Amino acid sequence: MESLLAASSSLPAAAFSPALLSPPSSSPHILRTVTGAAGAAARAVRCAAAKDSILYALEHDEMFNSAEVIQWESGKSINSIAAAQGIRIRRRCRPRYPSEGSGADKAVPRNILEQIIWDKEVEVSQRKTKKTLQNVIESSEHAPPARDFIGALTAAHGRNGVPALIAEVKKASPSRGVLREDFNPVEIAHAYEKNGAACLSILTDEKHFQGSFENLETVRNSGVKCPLLCKEFVIDIWQIYYARSKGADAILLIAAVLPDLDIKYMLRICKNLGMTALIEVHDERELDRVLKIDGVQLIGINNRSLETFKVDTSNTKILLQKRGDIIKEKGILVVGESGLFTPDDVAYVQNAGVSAILVGESLVKQEDPGKAIAGLYGKQLLC
């Protein structure tokens, strides 16, 4: 929410185009006081009389006037607002890496995702001092047009009669350590594409997954034709623009991390950039939140528990039994995530109702990740 307010002076006007905004009131001059939840001094925001100005548009945007923003302005903390939506990942705990230091300076995360998010806050803050939001917005404008991520999944699903594959280029994970020592992202990406992957997922987190935005950019420039998902732990719109500037066609948004307002705002940014947002959920409450948000096209159901990190593929079946009809009515595609290693696993989530699967570990650990795709499906995929 702070990101939405702070970014207003840097965002292009398209982000607040009339077609996306609520009708403005008759008042030509607005004076509004905005206060941060952490006790920051009040800031006055004066909107110009010109009705095409970004600040005027913000003042009359339903997003800017949402319940979450009003609560934040009233002094309620971001963590409190998020907790009311069932979000258990706390935010803004330390100005430096929380895992460093000792005693009272060392924060203790509740789970690995919270640890990753705390570290990501520090990383993004540091990156923004080197390259501002305006810089990455300008860079994103020079990127080639985004490729049709959902179109590629739909075509592959129809072509093969099985869930389309988003194959993940992944060197390591917090739970498994290094998955592949001889890691060459370009070779792996081309092997995946050659063997029928519809899209590719590129890990960009450095601290916990040994990925990078450089890997994303290198794969994009290597001649791979598959649309690319930037597998990043997004907490700030800066990351979305930066991913687009590096060649991403889609981005991951995690409902366990992002309040509803952030998801809505980031969906708007993605739409303006021509990108697809894969919104990941873990449980029924997160799924219900996401289904109430307009503009969602792609939902990923992660079978890995945030609390225990254990995997149970029945999570996909249970959630789709409960909410499958609503998902179909909305025309949303579902991606199955985690715990998929065999043809039986793929068949199980396919019967549950998924149109695509996202798989990394079971492929990248094999001697030939590309050929491992046939083993995963029990047959060769048509390209």
Side-chain angles (χ1 to χ4, degrees):
M1 282 163 284
E2 286 178 331
S3 176
L4 185 154
L5 300 172
S8 63
S9 61
S10 300
L11 289 173
F16 304 98
S17 63
L20 297 175
L21 300 179
S22 302
S25 68
S26 58
S27 174
H29 294 278
I30 311 293
L31 182 64
R32 183 170 189 155
T33 299
V34 182
T35 58
R43 295 185 288 118
V45 180
R46 177 174 291 281
C47 295
K51 292 189 177 183
D52 60 351
S53 72
I54 291 176
L55 287 178
Y56 184 90
L58 267 174
E59 182 63 33
H60 297 88
D61 188 343
E62 63 179 358
M63 214 175 281
F64 191 71
N65 291 285
S66 68
E68 292 104 316
V69 171
I70 293 172
Q71 290 169 357
W72 181 71
E73 290 175 346
S74 301
K76 195 170 184 179
S77 73
I78 290 177
N79 283 335
S80 296
I81 295 169
Q85 297 177 11
I87 297 172
R88 299 182 294 277
I89 303 301
R90 298 166 295 172
R91 298 287 298 276
R92 308 186 197 288
C93 292
R94 294 290 188 277
R96 56 180 177 157
Y97 284 116
S99 57
E100 300 171 354
S102 60
D105 290 333
K106 187 171 183 177
V108 179
R110 291 170 177 165
N111 53 53
I112 184 59
L113 180 57
E114 188 165 81
Q115 176 74 73
I116 292 170
I117 295 304
W118 289 359
D119 290 342
K120 186 62 63 176
E121 289 180 330
V122 178
E123 176 195 324
V124 173
S125 177
Q126 293 174 350
R127 284 182 178 271
K128 289 169 74 173
T129 63
K130 299 174 182 177
K131 198 164 188 177
T132 67
L133 176 61
Q134 185 60 41
N135 292 152
V136 294
I137 288 175
E138 292 172 357
S139 295
S140 71
E141 292 171 349
H142 295 99
R147 297 175 183 180
D148 187 354
F149 196 87
I150 291 179
L153 295 179
T154 302
H157 186 205
R159 186 166 59 243
N160 289 290
V162 292
L165 176 62
I166 306 171
E168 193 152 84
V169 180
K170 178 180 184 179
K171 181 176 181 178
S173 77
S175 60
R176 301 288 188 179
V178 174
L179 302 173
R180 190 179 187 87
E181 293 288 353
D182 59 331
F183 181 77
N184 185 315
V186 170
E187 288 183 3
I188 294 170
H190 280 273
Y192 283 158
E193 183 174 61
K194 181 181 178 181
N195 287 275
C199 300
L200 304 179
S201 169
I202 314 294
L203 259 297
T204 53
D205 179 75
E206 296 182 15
K207 190 173 180 67
H208 297 276
F209 290 85
Q210 299 187 37
S212 70
F213 281 98
E214 287 68 31
N215 286 348
L216 173 64
E217 185 175 35
T218 300
V219 170
R220 175 80 294 160
N221 294 334
S222 71
V224 166
K225 295 181 175 59
C226 286
L228 303 183
L229 168 72
C230 176
K231 187 76 172 291
E232 172 70 339
F233 295 86
V234 174
I235 57 171
D236 192 294
I237 62 169
W238 185 96
Q239 295 161 278
I240 301 176
Y241 284 105
Y242 192 59
R244 179 81 275 272
S245 74
K246 297 296 183 180
D249 307 293
I251 191 99
L252 178 71
L253 303 179
I254 303 176
V257 173
L258 300 169
D260 296 350
L261 180 62
D262 286 353
I263 294 175
K264 293 174 185 178
Y265 183 47
M266 290 174 178
L267 279 172
R268 179 181 294 185
I269 299 298
C270 287
K271 181 177 181 180
N272 291 332
L273 292 172
M275 298 177 72
T276 298
L278 170 60
I279 304 181
E280 181 178 283
V281 302
H282 297 81
D283 56 35
E284 186 176 350
R285 185 168 185 178
E286 290 176 8
L287 180 57
D288 285 343
R289 283 176 47 215
V290 171
L291 289 175
K292 293 176 183 176
I293 297 174
D294 292 334
V296 175
Q297 297 177 295
L298 194 63
I299 291 177
I301 298 178
N302 196 324
N303 297 311
R304 190 181 302 277
S305 167
L306 290 178
E307 281 72 30
T308 66
F309 230 57
K310 292 182 179 179
V311 174
D312 182 0
T313 53
S314 68
N315 188 48
T316 295
K317 182 178 181 179
I318 291 169
L319 292 183
L320 290 180
Q321 283 177 336
K322 293 180 176 180
R323 299 293 182 267
D325 289 343
I326 298 175
I327 289 171
K328 287 180 182 178
E329 288 174 9
K330 290 178 171 288
I332 296 171
L333 296 184
V334 178
V335 179
E337 303 175 11
S338 298
L340 306 175
F341 293 88
T342 69
D344 286 344
D345 294 332
V346 175
Y348 181 82
V349 294
Q350 179 178 11
N351 291 335
V354 308
S355 300
I357 57 175
L358 193 157
V359 181
E361 180 181 335
S362 65
L363 300 177
V364 79
K365 290 179 69 174
Q366 302 302 314
E367 183 176 349
D368 187 329
K371 291 182 179 179
I373 292 174
L376 174 66
Y377 281 89
K379 67 175 186 176
Q380 295 284 342
L381 296 184
L382 300 174
C383 298

